[in-house]
Amino acid sequence: NAGVTQTPKFRVLKTGQSMTLLCAQDMNHEYMYWYRQDPGMGLRLIHYSVGEGTTAKGEVPDGYNVSRLKKQNFLLGLESAAPSQTSVYFCASTMGNRGRDTEAFFGQGTRLTVV
Amino acid sequence: ILNVEQSPQSLHVQEGDSTNFTCSFPSSNFYALHWYRWETAKSPEALFVMTLNGDEKKKGRISATLNTKEGYSYLYIKGSQPEDSATYLCAFIPAGKSTFGDGTTLTVKP
């Protein structure tokens, strides 16, 4: 049981380039989330999904897009990367019930640097 | 943006000391509060999921309490060990959309 897997683990982008981060979970979880973590700060929610085909904005959605075409996958896209998007990105999933009774399971993180 | 505050920001204790930290959150529209342990270079891992006012949870030497009416939760570590060194995050869950605090970083010196 792999849990939550993020691809890639590291990436360096030039300003203006685009890329997609993939999050895959094999626990049949309904809810999936993308967070970013910056030095001295906790996790900030970028976008989340409460089920296949649905997405919603989190706290810091600007500059990012997401898609949840399959229940097990949640993609985070950067259309035109900016240095301010240099961060560590974490994906997480929860079973359901609006994330209340069950904890979130996190991926191992993606370290993205935009130069 | 919901205001979830954790204090202190960092804590240095000696092995064997007991310690506690606080998570403060909005007292209205409460749904759930989660505690996570986050070791350097790893992913956050869940410690406790708390949903009811007055909840008390325990896992080994670590325990947590919840007061939803006044909007706070305490995390206690009894007899700290070096392996307890980590950042402890709380997450306020108002119906599916989580807000994390900035965490309390605990360093336990041997």
Side-chain angles (χ1 to χ4, degrees):
Chain A
N1 191 342
V4 180
T5 303
Q6 290 182 231
T7 310
K9 292 184 175 58
F10 305 94
R11 184 73 184 267
V12 178
L13 284 180
K14 292 183 179 178
T15 298
Q17 286 185 317
S18 62
M19 78 163 293
T20 300
L21 282 67
L22 170 64
C23 177
Q25 52 93 6
D26 60 3
M27 297 173 282
N28 201 34
H29 283 176
E30 291 292 334
Y31 281 59
M32 296 186 75
Y33 310 82
W34 276 107
Y35 297 93
R36 60 178 289 172
Q37 195 260 329
D38 300 298
M41 302 181 74
L43 296 166
R44 291 186 293 168
L45 184 63
I46 303 171
H47 286 280
Y48 65 103
S49 168
V50 301
E52 182 179 319
T54 69
T55 63
K57 293 181 180 180
E59 182 185 349
V60 288
D62 294 341
Y64 305 95
N65 57 75
V66 288
S67 63
R68 183 105 181 263
L69 299 179
K70 294 183 179 180
K71 185 177 183 179
Q72 63 268 34
N73 295 337
F74 194 30
L75 279 65
L76 178 71
L78 286 73
E79 290 186 347
S80 179
S84 60
Q85 294 177 303
T86 294
S87 188
V88 181
Y89 292 85
F90 284 93
C91 175
S93 69
T94 60
M95 186 178 294
N97 194 20
R98 297 194 284 176
R100 179 182 184 182
D101 296 311
T102 59
E103 70 267 32
F105 291 83
F106 285 83
Q108 74 274 39
T110 296
R111 185 173 294 275
L112 175 65
T113 303
V114 183
V115 298
Chain B
I1 297 176
L2 298 171
N3 196 22
V4 179
E5 295 185 349
Q6 290 189 247
S7 61
Q9 186 175 31
S10 64
L11 201 52
H12 295 256
V13 301
Q14 291 294 133
E15 182 175 355
D17 287 348
S18 293
T19 186
N20 66 84
F21 2 107
T22 306
C23 173
S24 301
F25 51 87
S27 57
S28 60
N29 198 29
F30 178 83
Y31 206 66
L33 188 94
H34 298 184
W35 280 101
Y36 292 85
R37 183 171 180 272
W38 194 359
E39 291 182 72
T40 302
K42 294 187 178 180
S43 305
E45 292 185 347
L47 284 171
F48 303 114
V49 173
M50 310 181 82
T51 57
L52 297 174
N53 184 44
D55 258 356
E56 292 187 19
K57 303 260 181 165
K58 187 175 181 182
K59 186 180 289 186
R61 293 179 291 99
I62 304 176
S63 60
T65 60
L66 178 67
N67 184 324
T68 61
K69 293 182 179 179
E70 296 183 33
Y72 65 84
S73 176
Y74 293 141
L75 189 79
Y76 301 92
I77 301 179
K78 185 178 179 181
S80 301
Q81 299 297 309
E83 57 265 30
D84 295 329
S85 297
T87 296
Y88 292 83
L89 296 173
C90 69
F92 175 63
I93 319 289
K97 191 173 174 180
S98 59
T99 299
F100 280 83
D102 288 344
T104 294
T105 299
L106 174 67
T107 303
V108 183
K109 300 176 183 177

